[in-house]
Amino acid sequence: MDNSGTYFVAGALPEAATPTEPLPPWTSTRVVGARLPRVDAYERVSGTAVYPIDVVLPEMLYAGILRCPHPHARVRRVDLSPALALPGVRAAIGPDSPGADIPWYRAQGRAWSRLLDRHCRHQGEEVAAVAAETPYQVADALKAIAVEYEVLPFVLDEEQATAPGAPPVHEGSNRVGEPAVYERGDVAAGLAAAAVVVERTFRTACELHAPMEVHGSVVRWDGNRLTVWDTTQGVFAVQAEVARALGLPLAHVRVIGHYMGGGFGAKLEAGKYTVLAALLARATGRPVKLFLPREDTFLATGNRPANRLTVKLGAARDGTLTALEITSLGAAGAYPASAAATFMATELYACPNVRARDETVFIHAGRARPMRAPGYPQCAWALEQAMDELAGKLGMDPLALRLKNVPRTAQRRGNLPYSTAGLEECLRRGAEAFGWERARRARPGRATIRRGVGMAACFWGFSGGPPSTAIVKLFSDGSATLTMGASDIGTGTKTVMAMVAAEELAIPVERIAVEHADTGTTPYATPSGGSKTVPTDSPAVRAAAAAVRRQVLELAAAQLQRPVEELTLREGRVVTPADPSVSLPMSALEGLQRQGVLVGVGTRAPNPEGTVTIPFAAHFAEVEVNTATGEVRVLRVVAAQDSGRVLNRLTFDNQTLGGVVMGLGFALTEERVLDPATGRMVNANLHDYKLPTMLDVPVEMACVAIDRPDEAFNSTGTKGLGEPATIPTAAAVANAIFHATGVRVTDAPITPARFLAAAGGKRG
Amino acid sequence: MLPHVRHVRPATLGEAVRLAAAPGAVVHAGGTDLLGCLRDGVCRADTLVSLAGLAELRGIQEERGKLRLGALATVAEVAAHPVVRRLLPGLAQAAAVVGSPQLRHQGTVGGNLCQKPRCWYYRGPFHCLRKGGDTCYAVAGDNRYHAIFGGESCYYVHPSDLAPMLVALGALARLAGPAGGRVVPLEKFYVLPEEDFTHETVLQPGELLTEVVVPLPPAGTRTAYRKVGPRAAWDFALAGVALALAGEGGKVRTAQVVLAGVAPVPWRATAAEKLLAEQSLTPAVAARAGEAAAGGARPLAGNAYKVELVRQLVREALLALV
Ligand code: SF4
C-alpha cells in the first residue's frame, strides 16, 4: 500500500510475528458494539489516574531547557557557570557538554542536527539544559545561563523560502527533497474535453497540536538501566530512539506510558527532552523530571504545516470529472518532515486524468509533525471547496456531484477494489440524517444574518496492519488480564480492547484488567497514530483471547468427557447449547486450577492481498453568518463515518465529535502567527492560539455510524476512525459559508477579517 | 513560572494603601490578570497586597439614584445583579461576555478596569516601548488585533468589556491613595499613549481603585453592549460598542457611543454621538452613525477590517435598540 502522507513514511514496518490461525467473523456479539463507559473512566474523572506529568519519585530533580529566542542564530558562546553557582542547581549541559553531539533529526540517511546544536534554525531550538532541586531553581538557573547569539536572516513561509536569494535553512536549496509528482491519464486532454473548468488557490494555516498534557518525561537510572515515564503515543518508538541516542541495549530502556494527555501526532517519537533528562539524571545520579512549559510545546513539538494548494477541475455537463490537477507547496519547518497534502485528491473521486504535485520546503520555524490526518484536512479544504464551486458552475447539487463521481476502485493503488467502500453510504446516510435536501433548498435570503449548509467528504488512506502481538492471561477465578503494547491516547483503546477480549472469553469487561504501553512488560506495538490502533491491535487481542478460549474449551472437554465442538463459553461458564445440564464455571475447571493461569498469545494476521481497506466519511454543516461583521456560528454538524465495525458506540461518538471540533478550529480560529519582523511566534500560549471553546461548538452534533464490519480485512471487521473524523469538517463549514453568503473564503481560518476581505463588494 | 513574592493581606484600606505604596508592591484582587502577568514577566513585583480582607470593597449597592460597584465585586455578580439587569442591561451584557465563567467568577470589577494591555508583543518575550524598550513591535509586526484609534507610539487596545459600557454610563471611579481619596470620571481614568506610554491609568503609586459609581439613568434610557471576538468565549473584542441612549420611543435625545477593542482606552465616538442627538433612529441614521464612528480611524497594515467592524457594529447595535 502506498502510505504517502501517513505517519509511517520513514521506516519500513518490522516483520509480523507468525500469524495466528485466522478467526472467523463474529456471527453475533454481546459485548462488542455495546455502549460501555470507559474501563478507566473513574480514574480519569477522579484524578487518580497517574499521568507521566504526575509522576514524582524519591530524590527526584526537576529540569528545564534553555531555548533559542531567535528564528535563526548561531550560538557563539554559552556560559553555564552562573547557573551552576545558584543554590539547588545540580547539573547543566550546553552545546559542548558530553552527549550534546548526539545526532538528531535523522532523515534521508543523515542527521540534520545534534541534541544541542550551536546552529539554531528555529525559535525554541534547544541550547542548554539544567537540573535543580525545585522547578523555581530551574527557572532561575535557565535565566542565569549567559548565551551570545549571532542572529541570522530567516525565512518564515513557503513564499519567502522559495524566493530568489532566500537565506538557506540548510546548505543548498530550501527544498526538502525533490517535488513528488503523480500522474495518470492525460490532464490536458481531460481539461480540453471538459464542459466546465474551475481553478482556485487555497491556503491553510499552520496549526498546533496543543494536547492537554504538555510534552515531557520522568527518567530514572538503576545502574545502567533507564526507566522513562513518557507522555507518548508509542512507548516502543521512544524506547528505540532513546536506546540509540544513549547507546544502550533496548532491554535496558524501559518506557512506560500508561496514561497520556493527548498527542494528535505530536508524541510519536522521542523528544530531545527525554534524552536531556537522561543525561542530567546520569550526571547527578538522581531521577529527573523534565516537562515543557506550555509555550515551549508551541515552539518545538510539532505542528500541522501550512499549505498553499491550487486545484483545477474539469467536468462534463453531467458532472463526470474529466480532469483533476492539484499542486501543493507546504512548509516543513526547520528539519525534514512531510508537508505533502495531495494524496486524497488522487483517489477520492473517480477521474481518469489526474496530476498531483507536492513540494515541501524548509522554513525557520518549528518542525512539522504528523497532526491528525497529516495533509488530509488541507487537501479537503482545497479539493472539497473546488468541488463545491464546480457543482455551482454545473448547476448541480454538491452532494449529487460527489455521488456522480464515487470511485469503484483505489485508482492510485493498482485499481484494486475496496474491501468495503463506504463513501456512497456516508454521503447518502449523512445527507438523510442532516436533512440535506430540504436544508439546501432553503434560500439564504438577503438579510444581514444568513444561514447556509455545506458538505464535504473524505477518506483516510490507511488502515493499519501487522505487527501487533497481545497476551491474555486467564486466572483461576475466571478473571483475565489483557497485555498489549498500544497506548491509549484518549480514544478509549483500553476500553475497546477489553471489550474484544471480553467478547471472546464471554466474561464481563469488569473482570478484565488491561496492562498496556510498557516496553518492559508488554509485547511490541507500533505507536497509536494513523487511525490504526483498533484495526491493527484489536485482531491481535481477539486472537490472544481466542487462544485462551481454545485452551478453556479443551480443558473442559477433558473434564466433562464431551467433544470440544459441543462446548462453548457463555457468561463465564462452559456450556453446551444443546444440553442445559452442562454448565461449568470457568473457575471450576480443574486444569485451570492446576495450572493457575492460562496464557494466550495472539498476533495480527497480514492484511489480505488484492484489496484496499480505508475508512470514509462525509460531514454536513449548517452555519449562520453575520455578513456585516463576518461572524460565523456553526449551528449543527452531522458526521457520517464508515470505519467498519463499531466496537463501542460511546467511544466512537467521542472520537468523531472530537474530530469535528478540531475541524472547526481549523476552519474558524486556529493559526500559528509568526511576527514578520522578528520571526518569533506571537501566540505561543493557550489564550492567543485560539482553540475552539465550548461556546464555539454547536449544540447539535450527530454522528452517523455506518457500522458495516469489514470482514475481509481483519478478524474484528474494523477500520480506523480518529483521522477521518476531522478531515472534511472545515471544508464543509467553508462550503456552508459560501452557500449562506455567496462568499468563497479560500484562506483558513475564516476569521471576521478574512470574511470581510473576501466579501469585498459582494456584501449587501 | 511565578516569581517569588511576598503576599500580604491587610485588614484595612488604610493599611492596604500604605503597603501598596511601597516600591515593588502590586495590588492583588481576583488575580486573573495579575498572576499571568507575573508568570510571564510582564510586570515585576516583590509584594502582592491582597485586597481579600477588605469587606468594604465587595458587593453592589443601589443608593439614591446610584449604583455602587465595589472594586471586589466579581464580574459575574455584575452580570447577575437584578438592578443591573433591570436598569442597565448594557452593563449586564458587557459583564456576561467577559472571558469565561471561571474568569467572571474570579475576576473583579476593579481588576477588569485595571487590566494590563493584551498586546501579544507586550505579553510575550518582546521588550517593547511600553515595557521600557525602544520600539513598538506592533508597527512593523502582526497588528491584526491592534488599535485603529488613539495609537501613538503604542497601539494596544484596551481589553476591558466593562470599561466602555461604564464610560458610556458616565461612571465615576473612586480612588484611595496615600494622599487621600479622589473621584475621577472613569473616562478620565485612562491614559492615552500620547500622554504617557508607560501607564494605562491615572493611578499613582499606592493608589487603588475602590469603587465605581454608576448614576442610574433616567427612565427611557436604553443601553447595550455588543462585541465581536475571535471566538465565542474567553476572548477580547476585535471591536465592540457600548451604547447609552436617552430619549423616548424611536427618538434619541442624547447618545453615548463608546467603542471597545479599537483604541488604547475606551474610545468615545464623539462624531457619532453628535450625529445621533435629537434624531429618530432610522436605518439611515444608524448607518450614518456607524460611518461617523468609524471616521478618522487610522488602521495599521493588518487591522483595516476593524474599521468596517465599527461601522457595522454601531449600526447594528443602534438598530437593535429601536
Ligand atoms: S502596541 Fe504598545 S504594548 Fe504593544 S508592542 Fe507596541 S508599545 Fe508594546
Side-chain angles (χ1 to χ4, degrees):
Chain A
M1 185 186 286
D2 183 332
N3 292 338
S4 318
T6 69
Y7 292 84
F8 306 104
V9 186
L13 288 175
E15 282 301 309
T18 332
T20 332
E21 277 288 285
L23 292 162
W26 288 304
T27 46
S28 67
T29 59
R30 285 156 186 268
V31 183
V32 161
R35 292 172 172 269
L36 290 189
R38 296 187 186 213
V39 293
D40 52 6
Y42 176 82
E43 286 82 351
R44 287 182 188 272
V45 173
S46 63
T48 54
V50 178
Y51 289 77
I53 199 170
D54 300 323
V55 169
V56 176
L57 301 175
E59 297 294 303
M60 185 179 83
L61 295 172
Y62 294 85
I65 298 171
L66 182 71
R67 294 172 185 278
C68 176
H70 308 289
H72 191 196
R74 197 173 292 279
V75 175
R76 282 221 194 96
R77 199 180 59 88
V78 180
D79 186 1
L80 302 171
S81 54
L84 286 164
L86 290 175
V89 177
R90 299 290 172 247
I93 51 181
D96 300 325
S97 307
D101 59 349
I102 292 171
W104 211 263
Y105 300 129
R106 290 165 184 277
Q108 302 169 9
R110 70 176 177 102
W112 294 69
S113 185
R114 313 182 322 157
L115 184 62
L116 299 174
D117 200 307
R118 283 180 176 272
H119 191 168
C120 298
R121 297 180 180 87
H122 68 85
Q123 182 198 8
E125 186 129 36
E126 295 78 355
V127 172
V130 298
E133 299 287 343
T134 73
Y136 294 92
Q137 290 169 337
V138 170
D140 288 344
L142 291 176
K143 273 196 211 111
I145 296 173
V147 187
E148 217 178 277
Y149 294 101
E150 176 190 352
V151 180
L152 300 168
F154 53 83
V155 290
L156 295 182
D157 63 27
E158 65 279 3
E159 252 174 60
Q160 292 176 7
T162 49
V169 180
H170 297 276
E171 258 171 51
S173 108
N174 278 333
R175 267 187 181 163
V176 185
E178 284 304 299
V181 178
Y182 164 80
E183 251 177 316
R184 69 169 177 260
D186 181 343
V187 169
L191 287 170
V196 173
V197 172
V198 298
E199 179 173 9
R200 202 179 273 279
T201 297
F202 301 86
R203 191 164 193 282
T204 67
C206 174
E207 282 191 295
L208 286 313
H209 301 75
M212 192 91 84
E213 186 184 24
V214 292
H215 292 61
S217 313
V218 176
V219 303
R220 185 185 68 203
W221 289 94
D222 298 293
N224 57 359
R225 290 163 203 240
L226 181 69
T227 306
V228 180
W229 288 262
D230 196 34
T231 173
T232 181
Q233 296 174 242
V235 288
F236 288 91
V238 173
Q239 179 203 32
E241 291 161 25
V242 170
R244 173 154 78 171
L246 296 172
L248 295 171
L250 287 170
H252 288 185
V253 179
R254 179 178 178 190
V255 180
I256 303 170
H258 290 156
Y259 283 95
M260 62 90 69
F264 309 108
K267 295 179 182 170
L268 289 164
E269 60 181 14
K272 283 189 178 181
Y273 46 84
T274 309
V275 175
L276 289 168
L279 293 176
L280 291 165
R282 192 151 60 186
T284 56
R286 308 262 298 268
V288 166
K289 180 176 201 167
L290 200 172
F291 274 81
L292 273 51
R294 175 64 67 184
E295 289 82 349
D296 292 3
T297 67
F298 282 111
L299 298 172
T301 63
N303 54 73
R304 182 194 296 289
N307 285 82
R308 185 178 303 277
L309 290 137
T310 301
V311 182
K312 195 169 185 179
L313 299 174
R317 264 280 144 241
D318 69 351
T320 307
L321 285 177
T322 59
L324 187 159
E325 188 170 10
I326 181 166
T327 60
S328 161
L329 178 59
Y335 294 100
S338 173
T342 67
F343 186 88
M344 188 179 79
T346 62
E347 275 197 352
L348 184 58
Y349 299 115
C351 184
N353 306 305
V354 173
R355 190 182 136 86
R357 182 179 190 275
D358 266 302
E359 184 174 351
T360 301
V361 294
F362 289 118
I363 57 171
H364 288 105
R367 184 180 54 133
R369 300 304 300 133
M371 179 167 164
R372 204 168 186 175
Y376 279 62
Q378 296 98 305
C379 188
W381 178 258
L383 174 69
E384 289 296 84
Q385 287 205 67
M387 284 293 281
D388 212 59
E389 210 169 333
L390 181 65
K393 269 205 173 176
L394 288 162
M396 268 179 100
D397 180 286
L399 176 70
L401 175 65
R402 286 163 174 92
L403 284 167
K404 180 96 201 159
N405 291 289
V406 168
R408 303 278 153 238
T409 59
Q411 300 159 87
R412 189 166 175 173
R413 294 178 261 195
N415 273 315
L416 295 175
Y418 296 115
S419 55
T420 47
L423 179 58
E424 182 163 347
E425 218 172 339
C426 286
L427 289 167
R428 289 193 192 282
R429 285 183 52 194
E432 189 185 305
F434 185 80
W436 171 259
E437 272 194 41
R438 250 191 75 213
R440 187 74 190 182
R441 269 201 308 270
R443 293 254 134 243
R446 297 191 54 77
T448 304
I449 294 175
R450 297 179 202 167
R451 288 188 178 192
V453 296
M455 53 85 51
C458 79
F459 66 75
W460 167 245
F462 190 62
S463 267
S468 175
T469 305
I471 298 170
V472 170
K473 288 191 291 193
L474 182 73
F475 293 100
S476 57
D477 63 353
S479 66
T481 298
L482 162 63
T483 306
M484 59 174 189
S487 302
D488 185 338
I489 60 174
T491 55
T493 301
K494 280 195 271 178
T495 305
V496 297
M497 299 299 173
M499 289 168 75
V500 167
E503 182 71 47
E504 207 59 35
L505 294 172
I507 60 175
V509 172
E510 299 76 54
R511 306 268 296 164
I512 295 182
V514 180
E515 299 287 334
H516 78 304
D518 179 342
T519 63
T521 60
T522 68
Y524 182 81
T526 48
S528 295
S531 302
K532 61 150 197 41
T533 309
V534 160
T536 293
D537 298 305
S538 70
V541 170
R542 187 180 172 210
V548 170
R549 177 193 174 99
R550 254 191 315 275
Q551 295 173 58
V552 167
L553 294 178
E554 275 158 18
L555 290 175
Q559 186 173 336
L560 295 167
Q561 305 281 316
R562 293 251 182 185
V564 72
E565 305 78 53
E566 278 183 16
L567 303 177
T568 188
L569 295 181
R570 193 158 299 156
E571 288 168 30
R573 309 171 86 86
V574 181
V575 298
T576 304
D579 178 357
S581 74
V582 178
S583 176
L584 181 70
M586 281 199 247
S587 54
L589 273 175
E590 287 155 12
L592 174 57
Q593 292 305 328
R594 253 196 326 275
Q595 210 162 311
V597 166
L598 296 180
V599 178
V601 179
T603 55
R604 170 65 153 85
N607 291 339
E609 306 265 330
T611 59
V612 168
T613 303
I614 52 173
F616 295 89
H619 288 190
F620 299 80
E622 179 163 7
V623 301
E624 186 177 86
V625 185
N626 184 327
T627 54
T629 59
E631 290 161 289
V632 175
R633 224 153 50 93
V634 180
L635 301 175
R636 60 190 183 105
V637 174
V638 168
Q641 306 287 147
D642 163 38
S643 292
R645 183 193 292 280
V646 175
L647 295 178
N648 180 344
R649 187 59 198 266
L650 288 184
T651 53
F652 191 91
D653 282 6
N654 278 175
Q655 276 257 67
T656 302
L657 302 185
V660 167
V661 172
M662 212 158 174
L664 297 180
F666 183 113
L668 299 173
T669 54
E670 291 184 44
E671 175 177 15
R672 176 180 75 183
V673 182
L674 302 177
D675 176 50
T678 62
R680 296 188 196 175
M681 185 174 172
V682 290
N683 59 345
N685 62 71
L686 277 182
H687 175 260
D688 288 310
Y689 181 78
K690 308 225 178 272
L691 297 166
T693 68
M694 279 316 283
L695 288 188
D696 296 288
V697 174
V699 176
E700 256 186 86
M701 290 201 293
C703 169
V704 176
I706 303 301
D707 201 1
R708 178 145 36 96
D710 192 323
E711 284 166 353
F713 182 57
N714 62 28
S715 69
T716 53
T718 49
K719 305 196 279 187
L721 174 62
E723 285 156 304
T726 201
I727 296 167
T729 317
V733 168
N735 288 339
I737 291 171
F738 177 79
H739 183 233
T741 64
V743 176
R744 176 70 61 194
V745 190
T746 54
D747 292 7
I750 303 179
T751 58
R754 289 212 178 88
F755 178 86
L756 291 175
K762 274 196 202 137
R763 227 165 352 87
Chain B
M1 192 68 61
L2 267 181
H4 181 76
V5 287
R6 205 161 67 91
H7 199 259
V8 292
R9 189 167 156 166
T12 66
L13 184 57
E15 202 188 339
V17 165
R18 188 180 57 75
L19 287 165
V26 175
V27 167
H28 176 202
T32 57
D33 191 30
L34 175 67
L35 297 186
C37 285
L38 290 173
R39 176 191 178 279
D40 297 341
V42 170
C43 52
R44 298 192 194 295
D46 46 40
T47 305
L48 299 192
V49 182
S50 168
L51 303 184
L54 306 180
E56 67 264 43
L57 302 192
R58 294 183 190 284
I60 300 171
Q61 270 94 39
E62 187 186 356
E63 190 181 287
R64 280 176 276 123
K66 294 188 186 103
L67 200 63
R68 317 178 78 95
L69 312 176
L72 292 185
T74 66
V75 177
E77 284 165 5
V78 175
H81 197 273
V83 177
V84 175
R85 295 176 77 99
R86 199 173 66 245
L87 299 178
L88 304 167
L91 183 58
Q93 289 158 13
V97 295
V98 169
S100 64
Q102 294 94 323
L103 290 167
R104 292 195 290 274
H105 279 90
Q106 178 69 19
T108 63
V109 168
N112 185 277
L113 297 179
C114 295
Q115 283 176 82
K116 298 304 263 179
R118 271 283 159 189
C119 164
W120 50 21
Y121 295 100
Y122 180 79
R123 296 269 167 168
F126 296 87
H127 192 59
C128 76
L129 192 63
R130 184 165 289 272
K131 289 200 291 194
D134 54 13
T135 181
C136 169
Y137 287 88
V139 175
D142 194 309
N143 44 41
R144 69 184 70 184
Y145 296 138
H146 286 80
I148 55 171
F149 293 108
E152 186 65 63
S153 62
C154 165
Y155 297 84
Y156 85 93
V157 295
H158 200 270
S160 172
D161 292 307
L162 296 182
M165 194 65 235
L166 289 168
V167 168
L169 292 168
L172 304 173
R174 189 183 297 282
L175 318 182
R182 59 174 173 146
V183 173
V184 295
L186 189 64
E187 189 171 5
K188 298 266 179 307
F189 180 68
Y190 294 109
V191 177
L192 276 170
E194 66 190 40
E195 297 159 39
D196 177 355
F197 57 72
T198 62
H199 287 89
E200 295 81 42
T201 69
V202 298
L203 286 174
Q204 297 299 307
E207 212 174 20
L208 45 111
L209 175 64
T210 57
E211 184 177 76
V212 175
V213 182
V214 188
L216 289 173
T221 302
R222 284 156 292 171
T223 62
Y225 182 76
R226 157 102 161 91
K227 82 172 179 188
V228 174
R231 59 185 165 190
W234 190 31
D235 228 324
F236 299 94
L238 296 170
V241 58
L243 292 176
L245 306 181
E248 266 76 52
K251 185 91 175 162
V252 176
R253 196 153 30 77
T254 60
Q256 316 293 319
V257 182
V258 182
L259 304 177
V262 294
V265 300
W267 189 255
R268 187 176 282 282
T270 319
E273 293 179 344
K274 282 214 184 93
L275 191 142
L276 287 165
E278 307 299 337
Q279 291 285 321
S280 294
L281 259 188
T282 62
V285 167
R288 273 195 287 140
E291 287 295 340
R298 286 181 302 148
L300 301 160
N303 65 5
Y305 73 97
K306 287 194 175 192
V307 182
E308 179 67 6
L309 277 185
V310 166
R311 209 175 271 142
Q312 300 298 340
L313 274 177
V314 169
R315 183 184 62 85
E316 192 187 287
L318 282 169
L319 290 176
L321 281 183
V322 178

